[in-house]
Amino acid sequence: MPEPAPPRPVVLTAVLAGVVIVGALVTAVLLRPDVDLSVGEEGPAQQPTSVSSTSCGDDACRVLASASVNGMTVELLADSEGGTGRLRAGGPASGSVSEVAITAMGVRLNHDSLRCAQTETPVCLVRGPHDGGMAGEVHVWRGDSWRPAQRPYFSDAGNIVLDDAVGDAAPEVIVVRHECSDTEDAAECQLAPVLAQVFDLGGEVAGCTGTYGSPGSLRGWPDVDVEADELTECP
């Protein structure tokens, strides 16, 4: 279906997008992936563990959260404040580490910041609170390293997840947002109905659900579950 112009709350400002893309370019080539993937479960969050061999800003990195994807350990590393992050695959001895770019805009990572799809080719979402909502970025494992996707995402309703929403065995990025008009201010927008907007891994819009009175009305909240037959053209 044709992609409409992105609504105001969905995409971060041009400044944020620019900074995140620049950060991503430091560690990887921009990706528009076409991979066969499906959604799985995250591993349990861990208490921070020192990882002295990897630097996160001025601190040694600590393991903030972890997941097992097709037998490969994926770890979200961060400094003591969660203000600098790395995504590592393969455990402490691995050199496959990618920078988490959204922290450059003040996103603080926490134990709930890592979501991964359980597939042969891992896809992981790194997310954290930002500007009263949630910002997130996607990393895809290709070859022997992470490739960060081209665009960041922002949810003014405070939730971004991975889900196989279109039934093609590949995860999509689900951004929950308020359906606001351009004339509504931030306070009014927070009272508006919500919907789930679905993006493929290349950042293209796949569609939107109908609107709901509150985020908790979305099926599966907070692990939002979207079905292909719910998707229509986004308002």
Side-chain angles (χ1 to χ4, degrees), residues 1-2 60 92 105 112 118 127 139 150 165 171 192-194 197 205 219:
M1 68 180 64
M105 291 304 297
D112 195 40
Q118 180 69 30
R127 62 186 195 171
H139 295 248
Q150 182 174 2
V194 298
Q197 185 162 11
V205 176
R219 186 174 56 251

Side-chain angles (χ1 to χ4, degrees), residues 1-4 165-166 173-175 177 195-200 204-210 226 228 230-235:
M1 68 180 64
E3 179 182 347
V166 301
V173 182
I174 313 299
V175 177
R177 64 173 176 84
L195 54 78
Q197 185 162 11
V198 178
F199 298 84
D200 65 24
E204 301 298 321
V205 176
C208 286
T209 66
V226 176
E230 296 179 81
L231 298 179
T232 61
E233 186 171 350
C234 293

Side-chain angles (χ1 to χ4, degrees), residues 108-130:
R108 295 288 180 174
L109 305 176
N110 55 51
H111 294 299
D112 195 40
S113 288
L114 181 65
R115 292 288 186 274
C116 294
Q118 180 69 30
T119 62
E120 182 177 355
T121 303
V123 176
C124 289
L125 168 71
V126 180
R127 62 186 195 171
H130 179 73

Side-chain angles (χ1 to χ4, degrees), residues 7 26 58 66 69 71 81 133 201 210 213:
V26 174
D58 294 331
S66 68
V69 184
E81 300 297 327
L201 294 178

